Every structure is written in structure tokens, then in C-alpha cells.
Amino acid sequence: TPSIAADSADLDLLTKAITIASKARPTKRKGAQQLADASAALAAIGARPLDGTADLSREWHQQAIASGKVTAPPPTRGRVLGPTYRAITVGPGKAFATDQIFLAGQWAEVRIAPTDAGETSLSVVDAAGKPVCPPQSGKRAVCRWLPPFSARYNIRTANDGRAESRFYLLTN
């Protein structure tokens, strides 16, 4: 049986790592250690960047070591499949959309991890345009479902506010 708990735990860890590291300052010992810990967390769950997004695990590891304030082992890659992330910036009233294939019988999850106070919404639809989850808004926007067939799904995020919004789009 598929386990949504395991996939959600990975995305919980990914969300926490990105949130903490996005605020960390490597010029301080605590900030450098937070970057090193976040790098190790991404590596441990096998998180990888999507489509041109920087490899945060590598960047954070390099920043932490370059600070001279921590010594951390280099991150290693974990399982082949696992969480992915993509850095996104959306202007006011604008949207970002991407397609992702999810496998039949395996819990699928898409979430937003904001790095600012922007107002962001999330929706996911199947190939026929039918929503797989009710539209979500806010800092805890998440969509979970069990695909009946392996198929491509459209993920759309929109900036509902008046200022630019920065966030990470996370998928399992």
C-alpha cells in the first residue's frame, strides 16, 4: 500500500529546510550551521532541483564551508525518486504553471514553501482539466491525491497579492 505519511514526512522536512535556510545568514555561526544542516536534509531525502533551479543542497553546503564557521561532510545523493523543488518568483496578478507526471497508485503531493509574505495560491488539474484538489491559498498551500493512472498533471501557482511573491514549488 502506498504511504502518504512517508512522502509527507519528506516534504515536511524539505519545507522546513528551505524555510530555515532561506533566512539563514552564513556570516554567523548559527546561520552557517543552519545552511549545513539544510543541505544535509535535502541530500538525505534525495531532493533535487527541477528545470534550471539551482541545486540548493550544493549551494548551501558551499556557503556553509566557505564561511569557515562549520565543517560538514559533503552531501550525498539518496534514492532515485524523491522530492523536487523549484524556485519561483511571480509578479502581482501573474501566474506560473508547469506540468508534472505522477505515477498511478503512489501518493502525489504538491506544496508551496513561501520565502516572503506574498499571497500565493495553488491548483492542480488532470489532463482533462478536472481539479484533483480544491484550490489552496496561503503559506500552507498543499494538494495531496492518489492518481488512478500514471498521467501528466498541470500545477498552477498564482500571485493573488499586490507585491512580487517568492516561493518554492515542492513535489514528491
Side-chain angles (χ1 to χ4, degrees):
T1 7
S3 169
I4 192 168
D7 288 341
S8 285
D10 283 352
L11 281 184
D12 287 344
L13 182 57
L14 181 57
T15 301
K16 184 176 180 180
I18 285 176
T19 301
I20 289 170
S22 69
K23 296 174 185 167
R25 300 294 167 251
T27 54
K28 307 270 186 196
R29 170 125 179 61
K30 181 179 178 184
Q33 189 60 56
Q34 288 173 325
L35 288 173
D37 293 346
S39 170
L42 265 62
I45 61 174
R48 62 196 188 285
L50 280 176
D51 303 334
T53 297
D55 184 338
L56 296 179
S57 181
R58 182 177 303 143
E59 279 186 13
W60 294 339
H61 174 72
Q62 290 170 346
Q63 289 174 16
I65 297 303
S67 75
K69 300 189 183 326
V70 296
T71 306
T76 56
R77 287 289 167 211
R79 58 191 178 172
V80 175
L81 296 176
T84 60
Y85 55 86
R86 181 173 189 165
I88 299 172
T89 301
V90 180
K94 303 290 182 186
F96 169 83
T98 186
D99 289 334
Q100 177 89 22
I101 295 174
F102 291 95
L103 302 175
Q106 295 184 22
W107 283 104
E109 185 169 344
V110 177
R111 244 199 220 188
I112 292 174
T115 59
D116 64 14
E119 298 175 37
T120 311
S121 62
L122 168 71
S123 61
V124 181
V125 298
D126 64 17
K130 179 182 171 194
V132 296
C133 297
Q136 304 286 314
S137 295
K139 294 187 180 290
R140 302 285 179 216
V142 62
C143 178
R144 293 183 190 103
W145 75 102
L146 186 62
F149 304 99
S150 294
R152 184 175 308 273
Y153 291 82
N154 183 261
I155 302 165
R156 183 178 187 274
T157 60
N159 181 346
D160 303 323
R162 290 187 225 163
E164 186 174 78
S165 180
R166 291 183 174 89
F167 57 92
Y168 284 88
L169 179 65
L170 312 174
T171 67
N172 68 341

